[in-house]
């Protein structure tokens, strides 16, 4: 299972941090925090193609508050 975390400040988060803490020790789960990755890696289609093609499931974890703010602009 691949989890793509897209939260601008996971340390201050409540819900997303709780979710990440709960699943971080699971052996079959790989968490990728896009905000902590280098820009070159976060937007590298070859890397993501390989990662996603080997995953049994893909989970997007998005900050609802942050997403709503983007819609307001």
């Amino acid at each position: 299972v691949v989890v793509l975390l897209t939260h601008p400040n996971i340390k201050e988060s409540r819900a997303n941090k709780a979710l990440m803490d709960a699943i971080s020790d699971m052996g079959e789960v790989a968490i990728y925090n896009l905000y902590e990755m280098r820009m070159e890696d976060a937007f590298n289609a070859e890397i993501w193609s390989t990662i996603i093609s080997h995953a049994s499931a893909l989970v997007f974890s998005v900050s609802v508050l942050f997403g709503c703010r983007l819609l307001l602009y």
Side-chain angles (χ1 to χ4, degrees):
V1 176
V2 171
V3 178
L4 297 178
L5 173 63
T6 57
H7 194 290
N9 189 3
I10 192 66
K11 293 175 181 146
E12 298 294 323
S13 171
R14 292 183 185 148
N16 283 299
K17 185 176 183 316
L19 174 64
M20 293 307 118
D21 289 345
I23 66 173
S24 64
D25 292 334
M26 295 181 174
E28 297 293 321
V29 176
I31 302 170
Y32 296 92
N33 186 340
L34 298 180
Y35 277 88
E36 293 180 356
M37 295 179 75
R38 294 179 346 176
M39 184 81 66
E40 298 83 23
D41 294 336
F43 291 100
N44 187 318
E46 281 186 47
I47 291 173
W48 290 115
S49 177
T50 302
I51 291 170
I52 292 170
S53 68
H54 290 96
S56 60
L58 182 60
V59 177
F60 293 96
S61 178
V62 180
S63 168
V64 174
L65 179 61
F66 182 70
C68 290
R69 278 192 214 148
L70 287 178
L71 293 174
L72 296 174
Y73 290 112

